[in-house]
Amino acid sequence: MKGGVEAGYWRNMATSAGLAVLFVVVSVAVAAALFGLAYLLSDVWIVARLFLGIGITVAVVGFYAATPFLFDALLGPKLFQRLFCVRDKALTQNAIRELTAVAAAPVTVPLAPGRGALRIVPIKPAWWNDPDAYDDDTRPVVVVEETEHRLPEWNPYDIAVPAGMVEVVAWLPRRTGIPGRPASGLVDVPAGGVGTLVYRPSSLPELPGTAADLAGELWGETSSFRTGWVTTVLIGLAVLVWLVFG
């Protein structure tokens, strides 16, 4: 398991580095082509300025898109998440402590040898409220090992399953009676232990929900504000180096 985690760690960093390089190379190539057109059409100053402006925009957007992948590769996923990611406002420190305590709580179902407990932690309705899509009394539905479980409340729900990788499919029944688009995820359930899955349904009925690890829910999403500032600083440094040594 440790080897698999390490392999996944390095694979993630390599993928991020490759995507960063790809975005930079493509944006620079397109921008250079547009700058070349602007030079060739310099006699028609309006068209030349148009191509020049588009080229600068393409370069900036490419650098902005590459920045998260670059720092993910340089810093590693954990440090990158600490510096670049922000949690949803609903995920307060109290909520995080609550989820962490839930994940560490004792098993509530009897376990036979070679089996473990899959703990479903449904995110509370207040964290995704969409009254137009779901009724107030909507409850999550999950399918584990081809068995459907309709959760009675929005509380953690333990299911005894064979140890190993377990596939979970989850959804919410919509107002129309039609199930919401399902979200699936794999959970590693240890023998005699607990594998935890946080289930956060979609806030829009036409979009799929998510089934993610507890840690992923706690980190949140990449901040466009922080990414923009870092991109600005990197571009500024590049321009400064070009002016000094170019």
Side-chain angles (χ1 to χ4, degrees), residues 187-230:
V187 185
D188 187 13
V189 178
V194 181
T196 303
L197 182 82
V198 172
Y199 169 46
R200 181 182 60 191
S202 172
S203 61
L204 296 175
E206 64 272 11
L207 297 178
T210 60
D213 293 334
L214 179 62
E217 289 293 334
L218 298 183
W219 282 121
E221 299 180 350
T222 303
S223 168
S224 57
F225 178 78
R226 297 180 185 181
T227 303
W229 269 109
V230 173

Side-chain angles (χ1 to χ4, degrees), residues 58-225:
V58 168
V60 171
V61 170
F63 291 151
Y64 175 84
T67 297
F69 296 108
L70 173 63
F71 280 89
D72 188 26
L74 293 176
L75 303 176
K78 290 186 178 180
L79 185 55
F80 168 79
Q81 288 168 339
R82 289 183 181 276
L83 297 177
F84 281 82
C85 294
V86 293
R87 290 187 293 268
D88 186 91
K89 293 181 180 179
L91 287 177
T92 62
Q93 289 299 324
N94 287 337
I96 293 172
R97 282 191 288 270
E98 178 185 343
L99 289 175
T100 303
V102 164
V107 177
T108 60
V109 294
L111 300 179
R115 296 177 70 84
L118 171 67
R119 177 162 296 162
I120 303 293
V121 183
I123 295 296
K124 296 177 180 179
W127 296 5
W128 55 265
N129 185 31
D130 186 356
D132 294 332
Y134 307 105
D135 290 315
D136 293 337
D137 60 352
T138 296
R139 297 292 182 269
V141 179
V142 297
V143 174
V144 180
E145 297 292 309
E146 299 183 354
T147 301
E148 183 177 287
H149 301 262
R150 292 184 175 268
L151 278 60
E153 299 291 341
W154 287 88
N155 297 321
Y157 188 81
D158 286 353
I159 304 171
V161 296
M165 298 302 295
V166 178
E167 182 179 14
V168 182
V169 180
W171 70 85
L172 281 179
R174 295 193 283 208
R175 280 185 179 273
T176 58
I178 301 174
R181 197 174 293 181
S184 63
L186 290 174
V187 185
D188 187 13
V189 178
V194 181
T196 303
L197 182 82
V198 172
Y199 169 46
R200 181 182 60 191
S202 172
S203 61
L204 296 175
E206 64 272 11
L207 297 178
T210 60
D213 293 334
L214 179 62
E217 289 293 334
L218 298 183
W219 282 121
E221 299 180 350
T222 303
S223 168
S224 57
F225 178 78

Side-chain angles (χ1 to χ4, degrees), residues 232-242:
T232 301
V233 171
L234 291 177
I235 292 175
L237 290 174
V239 171
L240 180 62
V241 170
W242 182 74

